[in-house]
């Protein structure tokens, strides 16, 4: 089959449909609200060289890290066989943070290994020192069970010992079993759909079109970069603390554009810190590639070709490339957002009419766990906020932004599954920055504990407001409040507390920055 514009479009959608159907299966079969309701997962298709062919429109922070997981699995095992399935979550071997469990399985045709399908899902609890596996940690060991690349299924036979070990380290083992089996079900669908493609269109045609798709995305990304004026653009932003203390942790980006290529150097950023905001290097790559991709006026297929024109430099031992066993659990959620703010801040100097002001810049992580009639419960969610405004209009309100792309958990789903009550859930009026175009508003969400529980909040933009652009005002910072026994306390962006029944937590998320002098 010759590769032409029509056949390329057909195969682009065929590969993407495999990943999308895997995602639909994972959502429908999952047990936890975090996966079933918030859609905190990603699915993708890779070739035999660990190059991404297609990713469903799921979580942007997985753009650059899922290929690292597939590469880690390939390097760990000399041979793969039909029916194999590898599981891992180690951030230093292709993962992002321990709650994100990745599965990889091979797809064979005629005895040859041609493709891999992969899924990554955020599990509500994988052990560690606090329910929800998002503690104010100082080393990786405190964050949960570390899973190196291991075959959970060998030639179709389950490795029950590995499964038991993973499940035994969760505070909610039955939910872990359900979610892990949902991922395995998604892989069966992905493998089946790829085999159907190979039967219908032939091995040679699928491989040729996969290679052509990579080249197509590369050329489209090069065209996006070529529209940016050549030059060097720099920007500095900062994290607000590492969970051990509140202090400025700078992130610096030096963006150099030359023709159709771009280099983003984070060498001026802070060294790794003792707390949990360090980020594996794949996270900085994901955030940078995301920033380039959103500049495109056309939809660029998400694959390995998108990444090739962009070089990302993260010095070893830095906040964005820490040494083992540095704590990393919210580097995936919070530091990734600040990398986006920093790279977009630099690009705004080159493209002032195109790049938006800062969005909320945090995922507002909330984890809670305890006992309900002698049975453990655990829950994790992130909250939306305000999007930054741009020359094209106001920012959206109450939405997840940039590296998140999940949904907000419906109140009904949360209260049905957990001993919690949501007393308030509404937009935080007036929290978006003023401007010719105003930033979007954040969210106010108030929880009441119906049982004693441990809560952990990991958030940012509580001290440094999301910036405006072109004279637009900054959005309002977020506010975290704990009401314990009637006493009201405004707490820091990263906080852990033991609460009793009747105690409350109020999370007010940041608004987006405004654009243009009002």
């Amino acid at each position: 089959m010759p590769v032409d514009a029509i056949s390329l479009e057909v195969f682009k959608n065929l590969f993407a449909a495999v990943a999308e159907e895997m995602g639909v299966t994972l959502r429908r079969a999952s047990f936890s609200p975090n996966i079933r309701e918030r859609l905190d997962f990603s699915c993708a298709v890779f070739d035999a060289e660990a190059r991404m062919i297609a990713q469903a429109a799921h979580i942007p922070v997985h753009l650059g890290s899922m290929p690292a997981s597939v590469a880690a699995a390939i390097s760990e095992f000399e041979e793969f066989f039909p029916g194999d399935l590898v599981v891992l979550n180690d951030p230093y071997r292709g993962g992002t943070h321990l709650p994100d469990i990745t599965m990889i399985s091979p797809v064979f045709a005629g005895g040859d290994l041609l493709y891999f399908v992969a899924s990554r899902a955020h599990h509500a609890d994988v052990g560690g020192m606090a329910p929800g596996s998002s503690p104010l940690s100082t080393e990786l060991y405190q964050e949960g069970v570390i899973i190196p690349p291991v075959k959970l299924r060998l030639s179709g036979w389950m490795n029950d010992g590995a499964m038991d070990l993973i499940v035994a380290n969760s505070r909610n083992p039955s939910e872990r079993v359900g979610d892990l089996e949902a991922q395995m079900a998604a892989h069966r669908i992905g493998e089946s759909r790829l085999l159907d493609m190979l039967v219908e269109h032939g091995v040679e045609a699928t491989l040729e079109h996969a290679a052509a798709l990579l080249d197509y995305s590369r050329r489209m990304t090069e065209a996006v970069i070529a529209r940016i004026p050549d030059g060097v653009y720099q920007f500095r932003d900062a994290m607000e603390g590492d969970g051990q203390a509140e202090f400025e942790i700078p992130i610096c980006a030096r963006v150099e554009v030359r023709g159709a290529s771009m280099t983003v150097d984070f060498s001026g950023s802070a060294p790794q810190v003792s707390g949990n905001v360090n980020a594996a290097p794949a996270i900085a790559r994901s955030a940078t590639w995301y920033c380039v991709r959103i500049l495109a006026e056309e939809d660029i297929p998400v694959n390995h070709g998108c990444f090739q024109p962009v070089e990302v430099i993260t010095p070893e031992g830095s906040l964005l490339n820490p040494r083992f066993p540095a704590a990393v659990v919210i580097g995936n959620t919070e530091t990734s957002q600040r990398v986006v703010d920093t790279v977009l801040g630099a690009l705004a100097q080159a493209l002032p009419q195109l790049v938006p002001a800062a969005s909320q810049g945090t995922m507002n992580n909330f984890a809670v766990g305890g006992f309900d009639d002698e049975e453990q419960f655990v829950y994790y969610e992130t909250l939306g906020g305000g999007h930054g405004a741009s020359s094209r209009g106001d920012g959206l309100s109450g939405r997840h932004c940039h590296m998140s792309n999940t949904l907000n958990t419906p109140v009904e789903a949360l209260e049905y599954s957990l001993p919690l009550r949501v007393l308030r859930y509404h937009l935080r009026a007036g929290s978006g920055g003023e401007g010719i175009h105003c930033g979007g508003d954040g969210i106010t969400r108030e929880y009441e504990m119906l049982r004693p529980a441990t809560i952990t909040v990991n958030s940012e933009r509580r001290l440094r407001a999301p910036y405006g652009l072109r004279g637009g005002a900054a959005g309002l910072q977020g506010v975290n409040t704990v009401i314990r026994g009637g006493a009201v306390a405004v707490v820091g962006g990263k906080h852990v507390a033991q609460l009793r029944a009747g105690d409350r937590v109020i999370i007010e998320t940041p608004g987006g920055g405004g654009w243009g002098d009002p």
Side-chain angles (χ1 to χ4, degrees):
M1 180 187 296
V3 178
D4 56 33
I6 294 175
S7 67
L8 193 64
E9 181 71 14
V10 169
F11 273 86
K12 180 191 81 171
N13 287 285
L14 285 172
F15 281 115
V18 174
E20 291 285 359
E21 191 169 353
M22 289 177 66
V24 170
T25 303
L26 176 51
R27 180 186 188 182
R28 294 180 64 185
S30 62
F31 278 53
S32 66
N34 190 53
I35 298 175
R36 186 180 67 248
E37 303 290 348
R38 287 186 58 248
L39 311 188
D40 196 346
F41 61 83
S42 288
C43 299
V45 178
F46 295 81
D47 67 12
E49 299 175 31
R51 297 181 301 182
M52 182 188 289
I53 304 299
Q55 182 192 22
H58 293 148
I59 310 297
V61 78
H62 297 164
L63 273 172
S65 53
M66 288 186 74
S69 295
V70 178
I74 291 174
S75 65
E76 181 70 21
F77 300 103
E78 293 183 0
E79 282 191 279
F80 286 89
F81 303 95
D84 283 356
L85 185 142
V86 176
V87 64
L88 68 100
N89 73 349
D90 187 346
Y92 294 90
R93 303 178 74 176
T96 49
H97 61 176
L98 297 181
D100 278 348
I101 295 181
T102 302
M103 291 186 182
I104 302 126
S105 58
V107 178
F108 289 81
D112 295 324
L113 172 56
L114 300 180
Y115 297 101
F116 290 93
V117 292
S119 68
R120 171 170 290 166
H122 184 119
H123 290 252
D125 189 272
V126 292
M129 62 189 285
S133 304
S134 298
L136 306 188
S137 49
T138 57
E139 59 180 0
L140 185 68
Y141 302 110
Q142 298 171 347
E143 298 176 358
V145 61
I146 302 170
I147 310 168
V150 61
K151 287 191 178 182
L152 189 62
R153 203 172 58 209
L154 302 90
S155 299
W157 294 89
M158 274 298 297
N159 183 346
D160 293 324
M163 184 73 160
D164 292 344
L165 180 62
I166 296 168
V167 170
N169 279 277
S170 174
R171 292 174 176 84
N172 194 333
S174 60
E175 185 178 87
R176 290 293 68 67
V177 170
D179 286 346
L180 289 168
E181 289 184 344
Q183 279 188 261
M184 288 188 278
H187 279 249
R188 288 192 289 271
I189 288 294
E191 294 161 16
S192 175
R193 295 300 178 263
L194 272 176
L195 288 172
D196 290 345
M197 278 182 60
L198 292 166
V199 169
E200 182 174 354
H201 300 286
V203 170
E204 187 174 336
T206 60
L207 291 174
E208 286 178 352
H209 282 82
L213 277 170
L214 301 188
D215 185 60
Y216 175 65
S217 291
R218 177 186 56 77
R219 287 185 282 108
M220 289 189 73
T221 304
E222 288 175 342
V224 170
I225 297 172
R227 290 197 292 268
I228 304 173
D230 283 1
V232 175
Y233 310 98
Q234 301 186 69
F235 194 83
R236 181 185 186 277
D237 209 325
M239 305 292 289
E240 300 171 339
D242 65 349
Q244 307 304 305
E246 289 186 341
F247 63 103
E248 188 173 279
I249 307 170
I251 296 178
C252 302
R254 181 183 185 275
V255 179
E256 182 174 359
V257 179
R258 290 287 178 266
S261 65
M262 176 189 292
T263 300
V264 182
D265 188 350
F266 292 98
S267 294
S269 301
Q272 68 184 70
V273 295
S274 61
N276 61 4
V277 299
N278 301 292
I283 290 172
R285 292 196 296 268
S286 295
T288 302
W289 290 329
Y290 164 82
C291 291
V292 175
R293 187 171 182 271
I294 64 173
L295 298 177
E297 296 180 358
E298 300 177 65
D299 185 29
I300 301 177
V302 179
N303 58 44
H304 176 76
C306 303
F307 313 151
Q308 291 177 291
V310 184
E311 181 186 6
V312 180
I313 299 172
T314 54
E316 186 179 359
S318 70
L319 180 76
L320 303 179
N321 188 359
R323 296 184 179 93
F324 179 86
V328 298
V329 67
I330 65 164
N332 181 57
T333 60
E334 300 305 288
T335 309
S336 67
Q337 297 280 55
R338 193 63 68 257
V339 171
V340 170
D341 291 342
T342 306
V343 174
L344 288 181
L347 290 173
Q349 300 164 29
L351 301 168
Q353 297 298 316
L354 186 60
V355 174
S359 295
Q360 66 162 340
T362 176
M363 296 191 196
N364 306 292
N365 308 264
F366 176 69
V368 58
F371 284 87
D372 185 13
D373 296 330
E374 299 184 357
E375 182 176 335
Q376 286 201 74
F377 69 91
V378 65
Y379 176 66
Y380 165 88
E381 72 172 351
T382 59
L383 299 177
H387 283 222
S390 72
S391 64
R392 300 182 180 185
D394 296 343
L396 295 173
S397 296
R399 296 285 293 273
H400 285 265
C401 60
H402 293 323
M403 302 308 286
S404 176
N405 197 40
T406 62
L407 301 182
N408 292 312
T409 309
V411 172
E412 296 84 354
L414 190 153
E415 294 185 344
Y416 176 81
S417 303
L418 301 155
L420 300 175
R421 181 177 292 125
V422 178
L423 302 181
R424 286 191 292 156
Y425 184 35
H426 57 78
L427 293 179
R428 188 184 174 206
S431 56
E434 292 187 354
I436 294 174
H437 299 297
C438 296
D441 288 333
I443 284 173
T444 296
R445 191 153 161 109
E446 181 175 357
Y447 309 83
E448 181 184 11
M449 306 298 117
L450 302 183
R451 296 286 187 276
T454 301
I455 64 101
T456 306
V457 180
N458 280 294
S459 58
E460 280 279 321
R461 294 298 194 197
R462 268 52 182 175
L463 300 176
R464 299 172 63 91
Y467 59 78
L469 285 178
R470 309 288 288 179
L476 284 185
Q477 301 101 314
V479 180
N480 301 330
T481 305
V482 174
I483 303 174
R484 186 189 290 111
V488 179
V490 175
V491 300
K494 300 163 186 69
H495 184 75
V496 63
Q498 306 291 328
L499 302 184
R500 292 181 293 228
D503 290 345
R504 290 176 282 154
V505 178
I506 305 170
I507 299 179
E508 299 172 81
T509 69
W515 191 94
D517 188 343

